[in-house]
Amino acid sequence: MIAALLALFLPLLFFMAQQSGPVKSGVEIEAAPDLTVYPWIYLRDGRSLTPSENVVELIAVGDVMLGRGVAEKPDPLAEVAPWLRTADLTLGNLESVIVAGGTPRTAAPGEPQPIILNAPVTAVSHLITAGFDLLSLANNHSLDYGAAGLQETAVRLQQAGITSLGYGPDEDAAYQPILREINGVHLAFLAFNGVPEPSVGEPLSVSGEQWQRAEWDEARVTTAVEAARQQADVVIVSIHWGYEYELRADPWQETAAQALLTAGADLVLGHHPHVVQPVMVAQQSGQLVAYSLGNFVFDQTEEPTNQGLALRIFVDGDGLRAVQMLPLWSGPRPRLMSLAEAESLLARIEPAPSRLAFACQLDGCISVGEVPDDGEQGWFWSGGIDLTGDGVPEIIRRSGEQVTVYEAGTAVWQSPAAWRVVDVALGDPNDDGRFELLLAIWQTDAEGHERSQPYIVGHRGGEYQLLWGGRPLNIPILAVELGDVDGDGAEELVVLEDQGDEKTVAVWRWQGWNFSLVWRSENGRFHDLILLPGTDNRLLLAVSP
């Protein structure tokens, strides 16, 4: 009788899961801790979040298992609930079923018996209190009690206001995205199981129906992601994959991740290894892969299985806006690590900072891949150069949007207030054998429009003066550098240009009266232009992607 009711009720619940929004209970929880101390792994264009931005906050965690030894603990999620509940949506991977009875699956004759994970029905109240909104059922334990257990688990979660991902009454339904709209931002959630099942005995079904998980099939998965991309501003994929207890992603995970990103996923959240694996950030495209978030709550207490990672994710209508890493002690009662406790974990999983480098010849530049980022910034604030030709360098300082030249500690020249200086380069931009200042400025034209222009200021006839003022540019300049990037013995002007949402890098060469364009990169999410030592007397130009 129960099986028959489930068979009738589940399709309706599945439809409701597709349509309904997140539900948070009104349970009283202590104040959330200060999360601002934890590191950001991604900020679009390097810009910090501001309170005025229209963003959606998500918190993603790894394996959630409230059975076995965890079930013996009172309030296992009490220490994490205060900050989990701060998000608009909280999601994880439910690494068990939640059933009150039934028959667990068994292995085929001659095969080792599978590990069965089942949480007591009281686990649902812990999930409600912690504020979970979405849980993936696309994993290698969601069929531990056959299709009946999968259905019962989905029913219990749905009755608690928690939406299940990666399952359905048939294969087509299992691959459908869960759609949400929050603050005008459209989100799509998908979940897939990439862990092969061991052979089992007789399949367990309900009333002749075999409810399905969304299993990894690259063609079908990428089609599902592409379809979700057409319906949402942000696509989040939860995937069960990899090898248990391996600290690094295996080649198949990397290949599958690339397929998901190419199909249009903004965020790929991995689990199954029970340990944290590295996080990969594609800065230019604004996409992120967390190969494994490790355990969140589990009865594994030895390192490294007792270490987990949560991601605090902010998205907007343009996709991924910012991602923060929250390191955890997992185990039966998870809690946040202190930064001191997390030092070794973060060092292992955080991608080494790098810059995208370009090498130039006389006729243009080509990308030469990534180079290490030593943390030095390209923006000019102060420096010294001999502008007067007396052998003693003058000191140049930029304060806000104004530049001052000092001789022997005395200010001798200051840029006019009408010039809004955004960056400065020191060198010989006009190839006349004298040092000058190259200023990237904004100033208001006769019609009241602010225009971007490059200016050259030098010391001539006993005074500082404007030596050359370029006409207003169609593509504004954000940053400037001077250096010999093509090995011809003269300095080129290298600029970071503002193309709106994206940026370009360009190289200009002095032609005796003006600069002419030598090369311009394709559009990218670049920032922080800098010149680095190269080979053959040529400098590399590099940007942070």
XYZ file of all heavy atoms in Angstrom, residues 100 246 276 414:
30
model
N 12.798 4.723 6.870
C 12.390 4.150 8.156
C 12.429 2.632 8.151
O 12.362 1.997 9.205
C 10.988 4.631 8.509
N 41.778 10.346 -2.475
C 42.829 10.922 -3.311
C 42.813 12.439 -3.143
O 41.763 13.077 -3.277
C 42.622 10.557 -4.781
C 42.869 9.095 -5.094
C 44.330 8.716 -4.943
O 45.204 9.591 -5.149
O 44.601 7.542 -4.618
N 39.297 16.911 0.707
C 39.242 18.124 -0.107
C 40.291 18.040 -1.208
O 41.446 17.693 -0.959
C 39.475 19.380 0.758
C 39.389 20.639 -0.101
C 38.460 19.444 1.895
N 53.005 69.926 -10.021
C 51.836 69.115 -9.701
C 50.882 69.132 -10.883
O 50.707 70.170 -11.540
C 51.140 69.654 -8.448
C 50.105 68.707 -7.853
C 49.668 69.170 -6.474
O 49.060 70.233 -6.330
N 49.980 68.381 -5.454
